Amino acid sequence: MGYMKQVVTRYAPSPTGLMHIGQVRTALYSYLLAKQNNGKFILRLEDTDRARLVTGSAENIIDTLAWLGLNWDEGPSYQSTRKQIYQEHAQILLKQGKAFEKEGAIWFKMPTAGVTTWQEVIGDKQISIENSLQQDFVMIKSDGFPTYNFAVVIDDNLMGISHVVRGVEFISSTPKHIALYQAFGWELPIFVHLPLILGSDKSKLSKRHGAKPASDFREDGYLPQAILNYMALISWTPPEGKEILTIAEMIKDFSLSAIHINNPIFDVTKLDWMNGEYIRKMSDEELTEKLQQFLTDHPAKEKIGQVVPLIKERIKKLSDFVPLTDFLWEEPEYDLAIFEKIKVAQNNQLEVLKQILETLENLTKPWDAKSFEQQFRQLADKLGVKHADIFQLIRVAVSGQLVTPPLFESIQIIGEAKTVERIRLVIQRYPNFP
Ligand code: GLU
């Protein structure tokens, strides 16, 4: 759809904490709308409520947007640096008798007759609110800073914002904003109030639903593309119900009229699935590089590349790499009770372990996955033990775990000296089961 005016959108967070995952949707939809119309996306920090400011919050918001690739065309602008502008606008309304001063503050005289009506994009409906329900409100506080309700209108107008995209909780403030637009004789922007995101139990989204600041998802090893893709789909269904979309496809296909009116449910399981899909879409080289960057203190960065093909299908987020593979470079902690779970008869396990050790010590073939497999299959046949059972015994002996990436490739990576040492240690410590 085409717009007559230039499309200018903004993401206008208050720096009162870390950017929450739910806010990614607001920023993303504003961004998509601007980009698909060759418009402008502005980042504006609404930092005039000085008591609620949190140190580091603005930086967190800026870093998170940059990590997501939601690049703004203008900004970041800080409302706290624009005091003069709000003062001047308050003076205009004072002069016109539309505002008054009381107890140190400048107030807006809210019209109390009639109704305020506007067209809401989502759900394509008119919203009407009785003005008699409204009250005069503060525009400039006694500390000289504007209130949110005043500054948001001044800036949206001066910055040429065509579409105000924000959370549904701001609907109740919208009549105040509209009264200000009318007092100044300004044209209204288009209002897009996004539905509230809920947790799986349909209560307001919170930590216990797996929701957290977007930067925490980053630290857990989620990929920005997956976060964007998931948050795009949380309130929007692309044409043909496509589930995995590049940002370019989102820009092309996004449409305000296709935003759902219902409250979406944040589903961390779905997000995990999607992140896994993005991991698998990467080439082994890309994933290696991502992991090397992500795992800053990794003890064997140069070996990550060897491991990637073994675990690529098994991880959903970059951090999953660590518990799955740390036995490759760190000595496992053995909980010896684990041997009770192995199917090789308990009174035979120690003997089989000794034979495994001997096989490895006498291995003449190259130290590689193929030879291990061949030798251990032969050994199992010789001892009359099931192949799968002997493999499981070896797995536990070298890793301390019942589940690992492919066993023989893992042994190859652990290397001869360490593998032999681990099996020896297990033999020494092998428990006396009752
Ligand atoms: N500063 C508001 C917030 O932090 C934004 C409201 C708006 O977009 O108008 O949510």
Side-chain angles (χ1 to χ4, degrees):
M1 90 179 96
Y3 293 100
M4 303 293 282
K5 261 179 36 177
Q6 193 196 13
V7 171
V8 183
T9 63
R10 66 355 179 236
Y11 176 51
S14 302
T16 54
L18 303 179
M19 182 172 170
H20 198 262
I21 188 73
Q23 292 173 307
V24 172
R25 181 190 58 175
T26 308
L28 174 62
Y29 287 10
S30 302
Y31 173 87
L32 294 177
L33 189 58
K35 294 294 140 179
Q36 75 174 183
N37 291 289
N38 295 313
K40 221 168 33 170
F41 173 58
I42 297 177
L43 173 59
R44 182 177 74 219
L45 288 147
E46 304 205 320
D47 58 347
T48 62
D49 190 344
R50 307 306 283 172
R52 291 183 58 224
L53 291 191
V54 169
T55 322
S57 165
E59 292 75 4
N60 175 269
I61 294 166
I62 290 169
D63 278 1
T64 302
L65 289 171
W67 173 69
L68 290 168
L70 297 180
N71 301 322
W72 49 96
D73 303 296
E74 213 179 280
S77 70
Y78 292 81
Q79 286 187 327
S80 58
T81 65
R82 297 162 58 83
K83 267 163 99 175
Q84 183 66 27
I85 295 171
Y86 310 119
Q87 288 284 355
E88 282 164 16
H89 283 84
Q91 292 306 318
I92 295 173
L93 295 184
L94 275 175
K95 282 210 187 87
Q96 295 178 346
K98 294 173 180 168
F100 60 94
E101 282 180 277
K102 192 177 81 182
E103 294 154 10
I106 308 179
W107 293 66
F108 182 67
K109 250 189 233 168
M110 191 69 191
T112 48
V115 279
T116 299
T117 299
W118 76 94
Q119 187 65 21
E120 189 54 55
V121 169
I122 297 182
D124 190 23
K125 60 181 178 209
Q126 277 214 331
I127 299 194
S128 299
I129 297 185
E130 294 279 340
N131 288 343
S132 59
L133 299 173
Q134 302 293 328
Q135 280 162 0
D136 298 344
F137 62 91
V138 174
M139 303 190 303
I140 306 279
K141 291 174 285 182
S142 52
D143 65 3
F145 283 96
T147 56
Y148 157 70
N149 284 323
F150 190 58
V152 74
V153 169
I154 305 301
D155 281 348
D156 282 345
N157 179 265
L158 294 183
M159 295 178 181
I161 302 298
S162 60
H163 296 72
V164 167
V165 180
R166 61 187 171 197
V168 72
E169 63 274 25
F170 292 98
I171 279 197
S172 58
S173 314
T174 303
K176 295 189 182 67
H177 303 167
I178 291 178
L180 284 169
Y181 280 98
Q182 288 167 344
F184 284 108
W186 290 339
E187 198 188 324
L188 292 185
I190 295 170
F191 290 104
V192 185
H193 287 103
L194 301 175
L196 192 66
I197 303 177
L198 304 178
S200 45
D201 57 1
K202 309 222 165 148
S203 64
K204 192 169 183 276
L205 185 63
S206 72
K207 259 197 192 144
R208 71 197 157 82
H209 304 111
K212 46 196 174 185
S215 49
D216 284 10
F217 284 94
R218 178 184 185 176
E219 283 164 26
D220 279 355
Y222 288 82
L223 303 173
Q225 298 87 334
I227 298 272
L228 289 179
N229 196 153
Y230 179 73
M231 293 312 291
L233 264 50
I234 202 165
S235 286
W236 168 60
T237 306
E240 290 143 38
K242 214 171 161 191
E243 280 207 296
I244 303 285
L245 293 93
T246 61
I247 190 87
E249 289 170 315
M250 292 181 211
I251 291 172
K252 184 173 138 294
D253 290 340
F254 183 71
S255 128
L256 284 180
S257 57
I259 296 179
H260 311 154
I261 189 167
N262 55 326
N263 298 122
I265 291 183
F266 182 81
D267 178 358
V268 80
T269 316
K270 175 103 190 258
L271 171 60
D272 285 356
W273 166 79
M274 196 170 274
N275 205 64
E277 291 295 299
Y278 274 87
I279 285 182
R280 279 181 282 290
K281 266 168 50 142
M282 280 192 261
S283 68
D284 289 358
E285 291 70 30
E286 272 177 285
L287 180 54
T288 302
E289 203 181 310
K290 275 267 161 350
L291 284 163
Q292 285 171 334
Q293 287 163 0
F294 178 75
L295 302 165
T296 33
D297 308 319
H298 196 271
K301 271 198 183 169
E302 71 294 346
K303 289 197 178 165
I304 291 178
Q306 273 178 277
V307 185
V308 157
L310 310 182
I311 51 82
K312 197 173 172 182
E313 296 295 322
R314 300 167 183 231
I315 63 172
K316 292 205 169 86
K317 42 193 198 292
L318 299 178
S319 58
D320 293 341
F321 182 85
V322 175
L324 206 57
T325 61
D326 55 3
F327 76 97
L328 295 171
W329 9 86
E330 278 160 30
E331 292 317 309
E333 303 241 342
Y334 293 95
D335 172 6
L336 295 171
I338 199 171
F339 287 94
E340 293 180 67
K341 296 190 180 141
I342 291 172
K343 289 196 186 135
V344 177
Q346 252 160 38
N347 58 13
N348 198 24
Q349 282 185 11
L350 191 56
E351 185 49 35
V352 177
L353 282 166
K354 286 179 182 161
Q355 299 269 344
I356 291 167
L357 181 62
E358 209 184 297
T359 307
L360 286 175
E361 283 171 337
N362 298 326
L363 198 74
T364 48
K365 299 245 179 70
W367 184 265
D368 67 17
K370 262 214 177 91
S371 344
F372 307 139
E373 176 161 6
Q374 197 194 37
Q375 297 289 321
F376 291 136
R377 284 192 192 278
Q378 271 179 24
L379 178 64
D381 291 341
K382 189 179 112 190
L383 299 175
V385 176
K386 276 195 191 154
H387 293 189
D389 295 347
I390 203 170
F391 296 166
Q392 194 63 347
L393 184 60
I394 301 168
R395 184 188 313 279
V396 165
V398 298
S399 72
Q401 294 163 205
L402 290 166
V403 182
T404 65
L407 175 64
F408 303 121
E409 282 79 358
S410 298
I411 294 180
Q412 187 178 334
I413 293 167
I414 295 169
E416 180 165 5
K418 280 196 172 164
T419 306
V420 166
E421 190 187 301
R422 287 182 194 180
I423 296 175
R424 244 187 228 135
L425 200 76
V426 166
I427 290 173
Q428 268 172 30
R429 291 210 219 138
Y430 189 78
N432 289 315
F433 290 109

